[in-house]
Amino acid sequence: MPKYSEDKIFNHYLYFTSHCTVEAMHVHAGNEEMSEDLSAKFFVRADGSSVLKRRGDLTRKEQVGIQRYIAKHYLTMYAKWSRRSKQGFYTGK
């Protein structure tokens, strides 16, 4: 399962799965198990902002910190995403 970073970001790994690549770019934030069912899910827009679709076990502080991380690193993350998916950035609300 591809990780966007090998480091934990606010105690969570940021990753996507092969099942994810049929949707617009998004980021799961989860623990060591990286279970899609238990993870938070952020859809990423072309400007680096993100929309939280599922909170998972994140606190509000972790959510904000991860969204700031995504905003800062979204182009590098998108490069990894686009190697496996033809889906682009999130354009919904």
Side-chain angles (χ1 to χ4, degrees):
M1 168 169 338
K3 292 180 190 172
Y4 289 110
S5 169
E6 291 302 315
D7 299 325
K8 281 187 169 182
I9 312 303
F10 289 88
N11 273 339
H12 290 77
Y13 289 108
L14 305 184
Y15 67 94
F16 61 95
T17 70
S18 60
H19 301 288
C20 294
T21 58
V22 298
E23 296 181 294
M25 186 198 172
H26 61 277
V27 176
H28 289 281
N31 61 18
E32 286 81 14
E33 294 173 22
M34 293 191 289
S35 166
E36 216 176 319
D37 294 333
L38 302 174
S39 67
K41 185 176 183 178
F42 299 88
F43 278 91
V44 182
R45 293 185 177 119
D47 65 358
S49 65
S50 58
V51 176
L52 179 67
K53 289 294 187 173
R54 185 176 57 239
R55 180 172 297 282
D57 66 351
L58 293 182
T59 65
R60 175 77 174 133
K61 181 179 179 180
E62 291 168 330
Q63 173 196 335
V64 170
I66 289 171
Q67 286 181 296
R68 285 183 182 147
Y69 180 90
I70 291 169
K72 186 174 181 181
H73 300 280
Y74 76 102
L75 291 176
T76 303
M77 297 168 81
Y78 184 73
K80 290 183 180 185
W81 171 266
S82 64
R83 283 185 226 140
R84 297 209 162 110
S85 177
K86 294 189 187 311
Q87 303 300 319
F89 289 107
Y90 181 68
T91 57
K93 296 181 183 188

